[in-house]
């Protein structure tokens, strides 16, 4: 399988049996692509009918932004592979992001981690605290 690229979005088909495209996820991907386009690293996987087996959200985001789409054709893939491919991926949690930036030494994340630990708060609770505080609902120190 060789990675190919195109801007001819009409070549591809979204599958009716794939999970529905979530607009909020497409927006997240578009924001990410605006910061740094790494579509070449994660090509769309399609079957011999050019039906998207993996990467429909990346496809829609690339199309919306008018970006080149990178893809691989695997004639052995079927719609039954969609669920399996998506079962093997895991979205990063708030804790994963905190850990990533904390280990990289980002000062705001180091301070936030210390705050959560000092107040025995999980990452989500700490984030919610600061959201409420910004709206005047939490005490300031």
């Amino acid at each position: 399988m060789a990675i190919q690229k195109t801007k001819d979005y009409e070549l591809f088909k979204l599958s009716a049996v794939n999970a529905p495209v979530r607009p909020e996820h497409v927006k997240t991907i578009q924001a990410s692509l605006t910061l740094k386009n790494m579509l070449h690293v994660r090509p769309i996987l399609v079957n011999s009918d050019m039906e998207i087996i993996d990467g429909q959200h990346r496809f829609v985001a690339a199309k919306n932004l008018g970006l080149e789409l990178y893809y691989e054709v695997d004639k052995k893939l079927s719609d039954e592979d969609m669920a399996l491919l998506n079962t093997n991926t895991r979205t990063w949690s708030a804790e994963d992001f905190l850990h990533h930036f904390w280990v990289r030494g980002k000062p705001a994340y180091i301070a936030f981690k210390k705050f959560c630990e000092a107040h025995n708060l999980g990452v989500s609770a700490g984030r919610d605290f600061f959201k409420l505080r910004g709206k005047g609902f939490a005490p300031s120190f």
Side-chain angles (χ1 to χ4, degrees):
M1 295 185 307
I3 297 176
Q4 302 174 60
K5 62 182 176 178
T6 186
K7 280 190 171 184
D8 185 359
Y9 310 111
E10 300 304 315
L11 291 173
F12 304 94
K13 300 174 199 163
L14 292 175
S15 172
V17 298
N18 205 339
V21 172
R22 295 187 333 260
E24 67 278 1
H25 188 51
V26 171
K27 287 179 185 176
T28 300
I29 293 172
Q30 287 176 191
S32 174
L33 292 172
T34 301
L35 290 174
K36 186 172 184 179
N37 181 348
M38 294 191 294
L39 289 172
H40 64 285
V41 177
R42 298 264 330 260
I44 306 303
L45 299 179
V46 299
N47 63 18
S48 57
D49 294 326
M50 298 302 285
E51 186 176 45
I52 298 171
I53 303 298
D54 182 59
Q56 65 181 2
H57 288 88
R58 292 190 307 275
F59 166 76
V60 173
K63 182 178 177 181
N64 288 350
L65 295 172
L67 300 174
E68 278 192 318
L69 186 63
Y70 292 80
Y71 67 98
E72 287 183 83
V73 178
D74 186 333
K75 296 177 181 180
K76 295 178 185 175
L77 288 175
S78 72
D79 58 3
E80 293 176 2
D81 297 315
M82 290 173 189
L84 183 60
L85 285 166
N86 283 291
T87 300
N88 293 326
T89 60
R90 183 180 72 82
T91 304
W92 274 21
S93 67
E95 289 80 6
D96 295 328
F97 280 102
L98 176 59
H99 175 80
H100 173 78
F101 291 111
W102 172 73
V103 170
R104 291 181 62 202
K106 301 293 183 180
Y109 291 87
I110 292 169
F112 180 72
K113 183 172 172 55
K114 286 180 182 176
F115 172 83
C116 289
E117 289 172 352
H119 297 283
N120 199 27
L121 295 171
V123 174
S124 295
R127 183 182 58 217
D128 291 346
F129 172 84
F130 283 102
K131 283 181 185 177
L132 290 173
R133 183 172 180 219
K135 294 179 180 178
F137 293 115
S140 59
F141 342 37

